[in-house]
Amino acid sequence: MLDPPNVTTRQLQEQLTALQTELNLAKQTRDELAEELLKVAAESSNTEKHEEKINALKEEYGNLHSRHLTCLELLGEKTEQVEDLKQTINEMRALFHNDLLLKLST
């Protein structure tokens, strides 16, 4: 039979072994969680970079859209000017033609 000091020593050793096992599991869990935290932080950083890029692209799109509308407006104005000039030319041709016919008939 084991004497009481040996029993106590053995119990303490078993408790120590159990605590060491728990400690090792806790360390492993801590390491896994730290690794997961690093991954999440990296993903968060990537998300922030993507958000910044999206915002920059939205701003660029807004600028391009504004420029596009301005160009369309200018094109419309130029097209209107061209049409007016064509009409003026046709009127001048008609006047010139009528004047020529009038001079030829006299």
Side-chain angles (χ1 to χ4, degrees):
M1 221 192 246
L2 296 174
D3 57 356
N6 283 340
V7 171
T8 305
T9 304
R10 184 177 199 147
Q11 287 175 344
L12 289 174
Q13 285 178 343
E14 288 174 358
Q15 286 178 351
L16 179 62
T17 303
L19 289 173
Q20 285 176 336
T21 302
E22 282 184 46
L23 178 63
N24 288 335
L25 288 173
K27 285 181 179 180
Q28 183 180 357
T29 302
R30 179 203 63 201
D31 293 344
E32 289 171 357
L33 290 174
E35 187 176 319
E36 186 175 336
L37 180 62
L38 288 175
K39 287 179 185 177
V40 170
E43 288 175 5
S44 175
S45 176
N46 286 339
T47 301
E48 289 172 2
K49 288 177 185 176
H50 290 303
E51 274 186 37
E52 289 174 5
K53 186 165 187 160
I54 287 170
N55 290 335
L57 289 173
K58 282 181 181 179
E59 184 178 340
E60 184 178 349
Y61 171 78
N63 292 337
L64 288 174
H65 184 68
S66 176
R67 288 175 54 195
H68 176 71
L69 292 177
T70 302
C71 288
L72 286 176
E73 187 177 329
L74 290 173
L75 178 63
E77 290 174 5
K78 294 299 179 185
T79 302
E80 189 176 319
Q81 286 178 352
V82 168
E83 293 300 319
D84 288 346
L85 289 173
K86 283 182 180 179
Q87 185 177 358
T88 302
I89 289 172
N90 287 335
E91 289 172 359
M92 290 177 72
R93 280 184 184 162
L95 288 173
F96 180 74
H97 183 67
N98 288 339
D99 191 40
L100 186 61
L101 286 177
L102 184 64
K103 287 185 181 183
L104 288 176
S105 67
T106 50

